[in-house]
Amino acid sequence: MQLTAFTDLGLRIVMRLAVLDAEQTATTRALAEQLNVPATHAAKVVTRLGHFGVVDARRGRAGGLRLADGARDLSVGFVARALEGDGEVVECEGANPCPLRGGCRLRGALARAREAFFAALDPVTIADVSAAPTRDLLLTIGARPPG
């Protein structure tokens, strides 16, 4: 199984925010530059992470982005599920529906495999994936001057 680029970016944003000191914040634009992605994509991901209570976004002079309280203890599986949504591994319906969809056993097997994939990520926390040596890399990209 492969995560979407949206989920990949979301996990990287969460990891980057996880290494900030308690008083530090980041901007969406800075995160986008640090992670080498368009700011519009980062903004969409940050909005979704905020919707799920993973990221706190504050506007204004003292504003910025930070992880929500307790987010370091969230499982990577939770965050990945939230960002991936309820979609299926393969498209059985849609404009070109599969002729096997009425009695296909593959669809259920793929759904179970998808859940097993996420379940394997459940014991891993944001703190785990943001620890050294990854922490050092995350801090290094945050120290680079923009551009």
Side-chain angles (χ1 to χ4, degrees), residues 53-104:
V54 178
V55 170
D56 283 335
R58 296 191 180 139
R59 294 186 183 270
R61 181 169 230 187
L65 304 171
R66 62 174 44 113
L67 280 187
D69 290 340
R72 283 176 182 78
D73 297 325
L74 289 174
S75 81
V76 173
F78 168 81
V79 176
R81 277 186 193 89
L83 294 173
E84 285 290 310
D86 294 330
E88 294 192 56
V89 176
V90 294
E91 180 65 38
C92 298
E93 306 297 333
N96 256 344
C98 176
L100 304 176
R101 73 187 182 283
C104 180

Side-chain angles (χ1 to χ4, degrees), residues 1 23 60 95 118:
M1 184 174 155
E23 69 281 352
F118 290 133

Side-chain angles (χ1 to χ4, degrees), residues 91-128:
E91 180 65 38
C92 298
E93 306 297 333
N96 256 344
C98 176
L100 304 176
R101 73 187 182 283
C104 180
R105 298 181 68 179
L106 179 60
R107 188 178 197 175
L110 290 173
R112 289 188 299 279
R114 180 179 194 267
E115 182 49 36
F117 175 82
F118 290 133
L121 297 173
D122 285 339
V124 182
T125 66
I126 298 304
D128 294 334

Side-chain angles (χ1 to χ4, degrees), residues 3 6 12-14 26 36 38 43-44 48 76 79 81 86 97 101-102 109 118 128-129 137 139 146:
L3 295 174
F6 189 84
R12 289 188 284 145
I13 286 172
V14 169
N36 199 28
K44 290 175 187 175
R48 179 82 66 84
V76 173
V79 176
R81 277 186 193 89
D86 294 330
R101 73 187 182 283
F118 290 133
D128 294 334
V129 296
L137 294 171
L139 291 169

Side-chain angles (χ1 to χ4, degrees), residues 16 30-31 33-35 136-145:
R16 177 65 187 105
L31 289 171
E33 289 173 0
Q34 293 163 8
L35 297 171
D136 300 331
L137 294 171
L138 291 163
L139 291 169
T140 299
I141 66 168
R144 287 193 315 222

